[in-house]
Amino acid sequence: MSDQTPAGVHRTDAPNGLTILSEHLPGRRTVAFGAWVRFGTVHETREQMGLAHLLEHMVFKGTATRSARDLAFALESLGGSLDAYTEREFTSYQARVLDRHLQQAVDVVGDLIFQPKLDAADLTLERQVILEEIGMVDDTPDDVVFDLHNEALWGVHPHAWRILGTRETVSALTTDDLQTLWRTQYQPARLVVAAAGNVTHAQLLEVLGAAGWLDRPAGPSTGPVVPAVTPRLGERVHHARKDISQVHVVLGGPATPVSDPRRHAFGLLGTLVGGGMSSRLFQRVREELGYAYSVYHFHSPYADTGAHGVYLASAPETAQRALDAAREILADVAAHGVSEAELEAGKQQLAGQLVMSLESVSARMYRAATSALYHEPVRTIDELLEEVAAVDAEQVAEVARQFFDPTRATLVSLGPRSVR
């Protein structure tokens, strides 16, 4: 039995625990299909750091019915694509194909999830690939500084773990670790699948049944418990590196989680502060002062918390002045909120971003899956626009006071000279 939301998303909770969502988008000629495993970096122990990401890589090394080469060609030869990624709270496998190739996409993704080989010989090779990936990130300071900021902000909590893991943890992981994770988490009761595009819900259920998804036993229905999180505010940490020419800075702290009713007020404020060329940060730090090429505000919401802040990169001789200018903007927002003119402009910008972000079939698929992963209703576009329109200056001011005060933020810098 399936239910349909006012937003046009159908949902079926299968007897084996599999959660199935779809949105039919007439006029499209493609379908996006994905599966989300309810296991990510926050579910790992410190010693296991990188395990979810390693398993995501390993399933592509071959399955009971397909070699690694077969997997690579299975959808690309049809003009489609196959991808996967590991997040802090989930691991996702996604395909994009012509509508007539949905069965092949469902079959291939099911093969990856339910029938990986996980051979020791393949682990030796793929471990080296991931060590190279870690090395590539280490050579990219604007990636590294975010990992360092997470560690400073979250301490020993799993939100501080690196998604790729470290050289030490990845080198210590074994096929037994992979098998245990796969056996306990890659099961129907721990999965959400979603599709969007030229597909009806009945068609999706039919192809899932033909590929064997609905006949598999449920498996465990629960995963590791994520411990309560307490951020470490006001930390100031510098990591010296003489081999790079800029100082990379992240100044940030905790933020609203996914389901927080203040999410639109937070998004609006983040947009005004550092969401584009018209933002205060860009106009002041880059356009007026010329202290940075890259400067912006970021926000990563999670189930239990969130993280946000300002990133900038500047030459050693101007980095402190760039940071001071960013702090002035944050302090002004925290103390005074935003003007009515800014508020209305921010609403227009946020509303436009929300609508345009839902134009693709992949975005619609992700929206459907997210509703189940975070136990949220699927809102229509009109409902989203109404929520944005309802944001008022006092809501924005309250968010600014609580989250944007730079004196409470954690500061991490990376480069040849420290900032304070």
Side-chain angles (χ1 to χ4, degrees), residues 161-228:
W161 298 171
R162 302 188 181 199
I163 291 175
L164 301 185
T166 67
R167 293 183 177 277
E168 292 72 25
T169 61
V170 171
S171 297
L173 294 172
T174 67
T175 52
D176 285 343
D177 296 322
L178 295 170
Q179 290 281 358
T180 299
L181 172 55
W182 171 76
R183 186 172 59 251
T184 58
Q185 302 302 314
Y186 279 51
Q187 304 299 330
R190 298 289 295 156
L191 293 175
V192 170
V193 298
N198 192 22
V199 57
T200 66
H201 198 67
Q203 289 172 324
L204 178 59
L205 294 176
E206 182 180 352
V207 295
L208 286 168
W213 288 68
L214 305 181
D215 296 328
R216 293 189 170 274
S221 60
T222 59
V225 176
V226 180

Side-chain angles (χ1 to χ4, degrees), residues 128-416:
Q128 185 58 41
V129 170
I130 292 177
L131 292 176
E132 290 295 333
E133 188 177 1
I134 291 172
M136 182 175 67
V137 170
D138 288 343
D139 288 340
T140 311
D142 50 334
D143 286 339
V144 175
V145 72
F146 281 95
D147 285 334
L148 296 173
H149 188 266
N150 281 331
E151 292 165 3
L153 179 62
W154 303 117
V156 296
H157 189 275
H159 274 302
W161 298 171
R162 302 188 181 199
I163 291 175
L164 301 185
T166 67
R167 293 183 177 277
E168 292 72 25
T169 61
V170 171
S171 297
L173 294 172
T174 67
T175 52
D176 285 343
D177 296 322
L178 295 170
Q179 290 281 358
T180 299
L181 172 55
W182 171 76
R183 186 172 59 251
T184 58
Q185 302 302 314
Y186 279 51
Q187 304 299 330
R190 298 289 295 156
L191 293 175
V192 170
V193 298
N198 192 22
V199 57
T200 66
H201 198 67
Q203 289 172 324
L204 178 59
L205 294 176
E206 182 180 352
V207 295
L208 286 168
W213 288 68
L214 305 181
D215 296 328
R216 293 189 170 274
S221 60
T222 59
V225 176
V226 180
V229 60
T230 302
R232 301 192 304 184
L233 300 177
E235 296 282 321
R236 294 186 178 187
V237 183
H238 176 69
H239 297 267
R241 275 188 58 170
K242 303 297 185 182
D243 61 327
I244 55 179
S245 60
Q246 289 185 303
V247 179
H248 296 260
V249 178
V250 174
L251 178 71
T256 52
V258 170
S259 300
D260 195 296
R262 300 167 296 177
R263 58 186 172 272
H264 293 308
F266 199 107
L268 188 152
L269 187 56
T271 296
L272 291 173
V273 167
M277 291 189 297
S278 62
S279 68
R280 290 194 187 188
L281 281 171
F282 191 94
Q283 286 296 310
R284 177 62 176 161
V285 179
R286 174 169 163 160
E287 296 297 282
E288 294 178 17
L289 299 175
Y291 288 158
Y293 174 79
S294 182
V295 55
Y296 58 85
H297 176 267
F298 66 91
H299 178 206
S300 301
Y302 309 121
D304 56 345
T305 186
H308 87 111
V310 171
Y311 164 82
L312 64 87
S314 185
E317 58 272 18
T318 56
Q320 184 63 58
R321 281 174 279 171
L323 175 59
D324 291 342
R327 278 201 181 104
E328 288 175 5
I329 291 170
L330 295 174
D332 180 67
V333 166
H336 305 111
V338 299
S339 68
E340 285 295 331
E342 280 185 300
L343 178 64
E344 292 307 311
K347 287 182 182 182
Q348 290 289 336
Q349 188 173 352
L350 184 58
Q353 291 171 349
L354 285 172
V355 173
M356 288 189 285
S357 71
L358 293 173
E359 286 292 295
S360 73
V361 294
S362 296
R364 294 296 187 99
M365 170 194 67
Y366 189 82
R367 178 181 70 152
T370 300
S371 71
L373 292 167
Y374 289 106
H375 309 290
E376 280 276 289
V378 183
R379 296 170 177 84
T380 67
I381 291 177
D382 286 340
E383 287 173 333
L384 288 172
L385 294 178
E386 288 173 3
E387 290 177 357
V388 171
V391 173
D392 60 36
E394 181 51 41
Q395 291 173 329
V396 173
E398 190 273 330
V399 167
R401 285 192 297 268
Q402 181 174 350
F403 295 103
F404 281 71
D405 181 355
T407 65
R408 302 180 68 241
T410 294
L411 171 67
V412 171
S413 57
L414 172 70

Side-chain angles (χ1 to χ4, degrees), residues 71-101:
L71 291 168
F73 280 82
L75 299 184
E76 285 194 9
S77 63
L78 302 175
S81 62
L82 179 64
D83 196 12
Y85 56 86
T86 303
E87 298 181 345
R88 296 208 166 271
E89 297 174 306
F90 313 105
T91 306
S92 179
Y93 299 87
Q94 300 183 6
R96 175 85 181 272
V97 292
L98 297 179
D99 49 15
R100 65 177 181 269
H101 297 143

Side-chain angles (χ1 to χ4, degrees), residues 7 28 31 47 62 102 106 114 121-122 124 147 212 279 310 317 386:
R28 309 300 207 277
V31 177
E47 293 73 26
L102 176 61
V106 170
F114 297 125
D122 290 331
T124 300
D147 285 334
S279 68
V310 171
E317 58 272 18
E386 288 173 3

